[in-house]
Amino acid sequence: MLNPIFGVKRTYTHLVRYRHIMAVLIKYGFEEIAGIFARRLKIGIGSKGLPSAQKRTLATRTLAQRVRLAMEELGPTFIKLGQLLSTRPDLLSDEYVQEFEHLQDQVTPEQYETIRQQIAGQLGAFPEDIFESFDPVPIAAASIAQVHRARTKDGDEVVVKIRRLNIVKTLQTEMEILEDIAGLVKSRMHSPKTFDPVRMVREFSEAVTKEVDLANERRNQQRFIQNFEDDTTVHVPRIFEAYCSEGVLTMEYIDGIKPNHIQRLESAGLDPKIIARRGADFVLKQIFDYGFFHCDPHPGNFLVIGDNVLAPLDFGQVGRLTQQDRMLLQYFVLSIVDGDASKIVTALERAQMLDDDTDITEFSRDVEDILATYYNLPLKDIPFGQVIRHIFDVIRRHQVEAPRDFTLMLKCLMTIESFATDLDKDFQIIESLKPYAHKFSLEDIRPENLFRQIRKATRSAGELAARFPEDAGAIIQKFRRGKFKIHVQHEHLEELEQTLDNSSNRIAFAVIIAALLIGSSLLVPQAGDVLGLVSLQTLGVLGYVTAMAMGLWLVVSIIRSRRF
């Protein structure tokens, strides 16, 4: 559980880490931030400034480069934070995103004896007792886990991913410190409303917590196996359940070639152009067919095996898309293809991403300026990634808050476009995107989907009608107790009287309608008549009809006034 904003834990471990952070901040020219942090913590940092030579070196670097270098020196947790921020071009400028993409998560491997004890603790026996053979030298080592080759007693070649010793406790300490820093930044520095450093750290904490749980990665990988089991162009490594736990993940060993090693691909008789297209299709199927996608499809997370088959790796971080997210992407693609900014603006409005402070006219004009640059160009000449980067600039400038997974998905598309164009200079992802977007549009108007939407709308209307008498009764009870409140925010005092008059009339109509509905609901089940002239049921039905007519009139008057 993370601390409240700047609820600093003053343990020895925390204080040692705080001092190290401040020293690194000073080293890379962030003395002012380190000073604020030190005063808050009541820790002395000395008054000695940076040597002149170091100041001259720093002067040759951009601010983004200095931040990246500081993150690298601060270690794995800060590196992972930078990597997360590199996926958020809606929050950071392209300069920072590109700089943070260079952060590498490479650390010194654990000693084999430590790994041996970890496996024993997780699987109940030492590796020499579980496997026929186990290579003590890792083939990869990162901050959270490292990977070793092994062979099962059944003769299967596998790779074993083992979580590092005490990594969970270390990350918890680092998360607490990071939230302290985020709280300081939020309280002392002006930032756009869409950039909340505390929220970002909490999102990061949630993402890293999932990544450190190898059982979660195993579940993600199993879902990819199911999604692509009938796809002959993709091979997801199978999992060996008997050798898995929360801290150990064992999967099939893939003997393949990295897709960025083009000469080796060609020497092996593989076709980079086919691989480029299959990489794009792999990502687009995830987005449009499953709404469940690999967050980081860069070349390091793929191998290519015979027949140009892609083998994706590392499923620790995935994104999940709602129907609305995919609809937003559809509008983005069609807007770029058609050069029509109104599609993007309409989609963002429907998603309630444009608030009252957003200048719609100015926002639309900025998007139109971007699309006009590429209007009437052939699809192959439209640089999708570049267009999206410009749109992110506009989103950030107008402080539009995009859904996190939607942003991750757009960044994922930009990554796979780069992946594909490195293999095939003529590849354009937008040509692959358009059919998927149109297919997704057609899905919405298929009869079964229309009927499903109608059933959903009917069910919602029925639930609303069933709750209406109870809600209306609650309103009347508040009136009786004098607790009914109307909150009015008005910027034009000269219109206030008219506005209040209209509002009170509409509320009166609403109360009358509610009373008619409640009274009619009480009359309809009753037997008998009034003065022998009309039955109680008839009166109830008349009440319903009158309420419906008044309700329609009220709705029409509200719509005509354009005040919702």
Side-chain angles (χ1 to χ4, degrees):
M1 183 72 178
L2 292 170
N3 294 335
I5 294 176
F6 228 87
V8 178
K9 283 193 170 183
R10 298 184 63 84
T11 65
Y12 175 76
T13 302
H14 282 70
L15 290 174
V16 169
R17 185 60 170 146
Y18 288 133
R19 284 185 179 278
H20 179 236
I21 290 169
M22 287 185 288
V24 172
L25 289 174
I26 292 170
K27 178 179 177 179
Y28 290 99
F30 302 108
E31 297 98 329
E32 185 178 351
I33 297 174
I36 294 171
F37 199 44
R39 287 193 294 275
R40 193 67 176 264
L41 288 165
K42 296 181 173 58
I43 297 175
I45 57 173
S47 58
K48 188 177 179 180
L50 290 174
S52 299
Q54 190 170 339
K55 286 183 178 179
R56 286 194 296 272
T57 302
L58 289 177
T60 65
R61 302 186 185 277
T62 66
L63 181 60
Q65 287 173 332
R66 289 192 283 129
V67 173
R68 191 255 302 168
L69 290 168
M71 284 181 163
E72 286 181 345
E73 188 159 335
L74 286 170
T77 304
F78 286 81
I79 289 172
K80 285 203 165 293
L81 175 60
Q83 291 171 337
L84 172 70
L85 289 171
S86 75
T87 67
R88 300 304 303 273
D90 58 321
L91 300 177
L92 298 179
S93 67
D94 199 45
E95 178 189 13
Y96 284 90
V97 168
Q98 291 186 7
E99 196 64 42
F100 291 168
E101 284 174 344
H102 297 149
L103 289 164
Q104 298 297 315
D105 186 16
Q106 296 293 331
V107 297
T108 304
E110 294 271 20
Q111 294 293 322
Y112 175 62
E113 183 57 32
T114 303
I115 291 297
R116 185 171 173 270
Q117 294 294 335
Q118 276 286 90
I119 291 175
Q122 290 288 327
L123 300 182
F126 291 110
E128 61 266 26
D129 299 323
I130 298 173
F131 299 98
E132 180 181 315
S133 65
F134 188 93
D135 189 346
V137 179
I139 58 177
S143 56
I144 288 178
Q146 64 187 54
V147 181
H148 292 253
R149 282 195 66 177
R151 183 184 298 113
T152 69
K153 293 186 182 295
D154 295 328
D156 294 303
E157 294 290 334
V158 297
V159 291
V160 186
K161 187 173 184 178
I162 306 105
R163 187 169 66 193
R164 283 178 170 268
L165 181 67
N166 297 325
I167 187 63
V168 176
K169 183 178 179 180
T170 300
L171 284 173
Q172 182 180 359
T173 300
E174 296 276 78
M175 291 304 108
E176 290 168 351
I177 291 171
L178 270 175
E179 188 164 351
D180 286 343
I181 296 172
L184 176 63
V185 171
K186 184 174 181 178
S187 65
R188 290 300 187 97
M189 298 180 185
H190 175 73
S191 59
K193 64 180 180 181
T194 52
F195 184 77
D196 182 344
V198 175
R199 187 190 65 200
M200 281 297 304
V201 168
R202 286 173 178 163
E203 284 183 5
F204 169 62
S205 177
E206 181 182 345
V208 172
T209 299
K210 288 179 180 177
E211 189 172 352
V212 82
D213 180 5
L214 297 187
N216 178 68
E217 182 173 347
R218 183 173 80 247
R219 289 189 293 271
N220 293 339
Q221 189 165 338
Q222 286 169 332
R223 183 165 173 181
F224 272 91
I225 291 171
Q226 293 170 358
N227 289 347
F228 289 91
E229 61 183 350
D230 297 324
D231 191 330
T232 58
T233 68
V234 175
H235 177 76
V236 182
R238 67 189 179 99
I239 295 170
F240 291 78
E241 295 281 353
Y243 307 97
C244 293
S245 70
E246 183 184 290
V248 175
L249 173 60
T250 303
M251 70 185 81
E252 170 188 7
Y253 172 73
I254 302 293
D255 186 11
I257 302 171
K258 291 288 185 185
N260 53 346
H261 296 164
I262 297 177
Q263 288 186 345
R264 288 187 60 194
L265 292 174
E266 292 174 337
S267 299
L270 301 171
D271 190 335
K273 291 188 176 182
I274 293 175
I275 296 165
R277 188 171 64 252
R278 288 182 173 181
D281 286 339
F282 170 66
V283 170
L284 294 175
K285 283 180 182 178
Q286 295 170 52
I287 289 170
F288 285 101
D289 292 348
Y290 307 118
F292 180 81
F293 64 97
H294 193 298
C295 278
D296 196 12
H298 66 76
N301 282 334
F302 287 97
L303 289 170
V304 185
I305 55 180
D307 224 8
N308 299 302
V309 173
L310 278 174
L313 309 171
D314 193 354
F315 302 89
Q317 291 298 326
V318 297
R320 292 171 174 81
L321 298 173
T322 64
Q323 186 83 355
Q324 178 177 279
D325 291 335
R326 284 181 280 178
M327 188 70 71
L328 268 173
L329 175 61
Q330 171 200 328
Y331 276 102
F332 267 62
V333 174
L334 297 180
S335 293
I336 294 169
V337 171
D338 299 335
D340 183 0
S342 65
K343 287 187 173 70
I344 291 180
V345 177
T346 299
L348 295 177
E349 284 183 316
R350 288 180 178 175
Q352 298 181 340
M353 289 165 56
L354 304 181
D355 59 25
D356 294 338
D357 296 331
T358 305
D359 187 331
I360 304 295
T361 303
E362 188 67 25
F363 180 79
S364 301
R365 187 181 297 114
D366 287 346
V367 176
E368 285 171 0
D369 288 343
I370 294 169
L371 299 184
T373 307
Y374 308 101
Y375 186 62
N376 282 336
L377 286 179
L379 283 183
K380 66 182 182 65
D381 294 333
I382 298 178
F384 178 79
Q386 185 174 325
V387 177
I388 292 300
R389 272 191 288 272
H390 289 325
I391 291 175
F392 273 131
D393 288 340
V394 173
I395 284 176
R396 191 171 56 253
R397 187 160 63 248
H398 289 272
Q399 299 186 26
V400 175
E401 188 169 0
R404 174 179 173 271
D405 281 342
F406 176 73
T407 302
L408 286 175
M409 178 258 295
L410 287 180
K411 185 64 168 62
C412 172
L413 289 173
M414 292 162 66
T415 302
I416 201 64
E417 182 189 37
S418 175
F419 166 101
T421 51
D422 286 344
L423 293 166
D424 178 6
K425 299 301 181 186
D426 297 325
F427 178 85
Q428 285 296 333
I429 195 169
I430 201 161
E431 291 185 321
S432 300
L433 261 169
K434 189 176 180 182
Y436 278 96
H438 279 304
K439 176 186 172 186
F440 189 69
S441 299
L442 293 174
E443 286 288 319
D444 285 344
I445 60 174
R446 289 175 59 186
E448 57 266 35
N449 288 339
L450 284 174
F451 287 133
R452 189 183 304 117
Q453 291 171 17
I454 291 170
R455 284 197 302 270
K456 182 179 178 181
T458 303
R459 184 166 59 250
S460 298
E463 291 172 355
L464 180 63
R467 292 197 310 268
F468 192 83
E470 181 181 344
D471 293 342
I475 292 171
I476 292 170
Q477 286 298 322
K478 286 192 174 184
F479 264 112
R480 287 175 176 169
R481 294 197 300 267
K483 292 184 178 180
F484 192 85
K485 296 181 180 179
I486 303 172
H487 297 278
V488 179
Q489 181 176 350
H490 210 291
E491 297 178 359
H492 305 287
L493 293 178
E494 67 276 6
E495 298 176 5
L496 180 58
E497 183 178 355
Q498 183 63 41
T499 301
L500 290 175
D501 191 32
N502 291 341
S503 298
S504 61
N505 287 341
R506 286 175 184 168
I507 292 169
F509 261 86
V511 172
I512 292 169
I513 292 167
L516 281 170
L517 288 170
I518 294 169
S520 298
S521 299
L522 295 173
L523 288 174
V524 168
Q526 304 299 322
D529 51 42
V530 178
L531 301 176
L533 298 174
V534 61
S535 69
L536 294 175
Q537 290 94 335
T538 302
L539 280 176
V541 172
L542 286 172
Y544 280 134
V545 172
T546 304
M548 182 179 69
M550 294 176 67
L552 286 172
W553 179 87
L554 182 59
V555 169
V556 169
S557 70
I558 292 172
I559 292 173
R560 289 181 64 185
S561 71
R562 299 183 182 273
R563 296 177 183 273
F564 300 97

